Amino acid sequence: MNARGISPGVYWVGAVDWDRRLFDALIPLPDGTSYNAYLIQGSEKTALLDSVDPRMQDVLLDRLDGMPSIDYVVAHHAEPDHSGAIPAVLERYPAAKVLTNPRCKGMLMDTLLIPEDRFITVEDGETVSLGDKTLKFVYMPWVHWPETMVSYLQEDRILFTCDFFGSHIATTDLYVTDEPRVYEAAKRYYAEIMMPFRKVIEKNLAKLADYDIAMIAPSHGPIYNQPAFILDAYREWVTADPKNIVVLPYISMWGSTKAMVDHLVDALIERGVAVELFNLAVTDVGKLAMALVDAATIVVGTPTVLTGAHPGVVYAAYLANALRPKLRFASIVGSYGWGGKAVEQIASMIPNLKVEVLAPVLCQGYPREADFEALDCLADAIAERHRENHLT
Ligand code: FEO
């Protein structure tokens, strides 16, 4: 068995996907990812915790070579990057049962066609003994699907969290060794996947206060043997006030919107406001999502095309609305040739953002003196709002 021990009788048996560059045909994975499965050998029973992406199921099965029996396959989450190889494991181990919650059971029956008699369901807070090791199951809904749960190995004080606290990194490191790198990847992961469920994540974080945790073992990226590192980061991302930052995604077709954006960036800097600028024609949307974790204000820059905002800006607005960041203020700047409804269109697309909309600045053609003055007023308004709200 080509497994890596993390505690006596506890092994990492996952797969590292060095080549993957996109998840859900949506999320960029600049550093690849891993699908972490774990094997726990108790004195009486053996449990496999999650599986791997079905494209890499042979890697998991190879790691399990020489393992004569598996009693339980724990499914913390039904998404196929963790559950997709469970049918192959069940085929190799005909006596194995899938341990999961009722909601996840239904999803696995629907998506993987696993027969009902292969399941044992567990309730929230239930424990299952493996002999000298005990797994406790804790429901953690909406991390980021409704059926998600974690398990706590009581004797070893290891929390197995599946997607919760994960990071998309392909690495040979079993544990976090490069904290800045993992912080960045974990923040990207939080921004893209967890941020829309921030309120529920906050409640789930509170549940963990009852547990003495020596190690957090997620299903993507390295294991946290210093759990405070990721727990503190999540508390900051989820609950801290937004910062004195403007996120400015934009597109410019002929330079007018770019001239406005450049002026606004300088005006904000002069007023002590930091800016994260994203030219949507070339940007990585994951970077934009990360910037939204901390920003207090979003200003969208768009030319008018086909009577509305540029489709690339529409996409960014849709994404920002879906991610539900902590933004407090929003505005729009841009130019038009002869008319259009860009402002109304973008404003109607962000109902999830509980923001105060600051006066937009739209100009006809290339910006003139009055337009630059309007941009200065917008910068004044943003800086004032940030000051009034003590955003630093
Ligand atoms: Fe890593 Fe929601 O799957």
Side-chain angles (χ1 to χ4, degrees):
M1 185 174 66
N2 183 13
R4 301 178 74 181
I6 61 172
S7 193
V10 184
Y11 304 91
W12 176 91
V13 289
V16 178
D17 196 340
W18 296 91
D19 298 334
R20 193 156 183 183
R21 287 293 173 269
L22 201 59
F23 200 88
D24 290 344
L26 171 68
I27 298 168
L29 303 181
D31 301 312
T33 191
S34 66
Y35 318 106
N36 301 333
Y38 300 93
L39 190 78
I40 304 175
Q41 284 183 296
S43 56
E44 294 172 15
K45 305 271 190 190
T46 298
L48 174 69
L49 274 53
D50 294 312
S51 69
V52 299
D53 189 290
R55 286 171 286 193
M56 300 192 81
Q57 72 181 28
D58 289 348
V59 175
L60 172 64
L61 293 174
D62 284 352
R63 291 197 200 284
L64 296 175
D65 272 352
M67 177 55 52
S69 67
I70 287 177
D71 300 283
Y72 304 123
V73 181
V74 172
H76 292 112
H77 177 29
E79 194 162 15
D81 54 326
H82 309 295
S83 67
I86 289 177
V89 174
L90 295 180
E91 191 178 338
R92 181 186 282 187
Y93 298 97
K97 298 284 188 187
V98 179
L99 269 186
T100 192
N101 60 68
R103 193 158 195 178
C104 189
K105 170 187 165 183
M107 294 169 108
L108 293 175
M109 289 174 65
D110 288 342
T111 56
L112 297 174
L113 309 180
I114 298 173
E116 185 160 19
D117 63 3
R118 298 301 301 264
F119 286 91
I120 298 173
T121 56
V122 290
E123 295 301 317
D124 188 18
E126 188 172 336
T127 57
V128 169
S129 174
L130 306 178
D132 59 349
K133 293 185 185 290
T134 314
L135 272 172
K136 180 175 180 178
F137 298 94
V138 186
Y139 288 12
M140 293 269 163
W142 294 109
V143 181
H144 56 130
W145 283 16
E147 86 299 1
T148 46
M149 66 178 189
V150 303
S151 60
Y152 179 66
L153 187 60
Q154 292 180 338
E155 293 77 8
D156 300 77
R157 298 184 295 127
I158 303 174
L159 189 71
F160 298 95
T161 56
C162 201
D163 276 345
F164 204 8
F165 307 121
S167 62
H168 283 309
I169 300 181
T171 174
T172 55
D173 291 344
L174 198 49
Y175 302 100
V176 175
T177 55
D178 182 344
E179 285 197 350
R181 182 177 182 221
V182 177
Y183 184 93
E184 167 116 358
K187 186 174 186 180
R188 175 187 278 267
Y189 191 87
Y190 165 78
E192 293 166 337
I193 295 170
M194 304 292 168
M195 188 158 64
F197 312 100
R198 189 159 37 91
K199 297 292 178 197
V200 193
I201 299 281
E202 187 175 354
K203 288 183 189 155
N204 287 333
L205 280 173
K207 287 183 195 172
L208 297 180
D210 299 337
Y211 293 86
D212 176 16
I213 301 168
M215 222 185 278
I216 290 178
S219 290
H220 296 290
I223 295 166
Y224 302 94
N225 52 2
Q226 308 278 345
F229 163 68
I230 193 66
L231 290 169
D232 290 348
Y234 258 71
R235 286 188 196 108
E236 163 84 15
W237 299 333
V238 169
T239 59
D241 279 340
K243 295 184 170 34
N244 180 27
I245 298 172
V246 170
V247 167
L248 211 170
Y250 79 98
I251 282 181
S252 188
M253 293 161 62
W254 291 102
S256 301
T257 299
K258 173 108 175 39
M260 299 178 76
V261 164
D262 287 345
H263 185 91
L264 181 61
V265 169
D266 286 343
L268 287 165
I269 292 168
E270 279 171 16
R271 289 157 179 78
V273 180
V275 183
E276 299 229 29
L277 187 65
F278 296 94
N279 178 351
L280 294 168
V282 297
T283 200
D284 163 354
V285 292
K287 287 273 189 192
L288 173 61
M290 284 171 69
L292 289 169
V293 172
D294 298 320
T297 298
I298 184 169
V299 177
V300 173
T302 184
T304 296
V305 55
L306 303 173
T307 75
H310 190 286
V313 174
V314 169
Y315 174 65
Y318 176 87
L319 197 64
N321 184 62
L323 293 176
R324 297 172 184 259
K326 293 183 279 192
L327 293 166
R328 303 244 183 112
F329 310 101
S331 192
I332 301 165
V333 302
S335 83
Y336 57 91
W338 51 90
K341 299 270 185 197
V343 170
E344 294 87 338
Q345 182 188 22
I346 296 295
S348 71
M349 289 185 62
I350 53 172
N352 293 342
L353 303 183
K354 305 304 176 200
V355 290
E356 177 188 351
V357 178
L358 305 175
V361 182
L362 270 282
C363 75
Q364 188 162 16
Y366 199 81
R368 300 168 179 80
E369 197 52 40
D371 304 310
F372 290 126
E373 284 171 11
L375 289 167
D376 289 337
C377 290
L378 176 58
D380 283 337
I382 291 169
E384 193 178 318
R385 297 297 194 288
H386 286 197
R387 260 197 313 276
E388 286 169 357
N389 287 275
H390 311 291
L391 305 178
T392 56

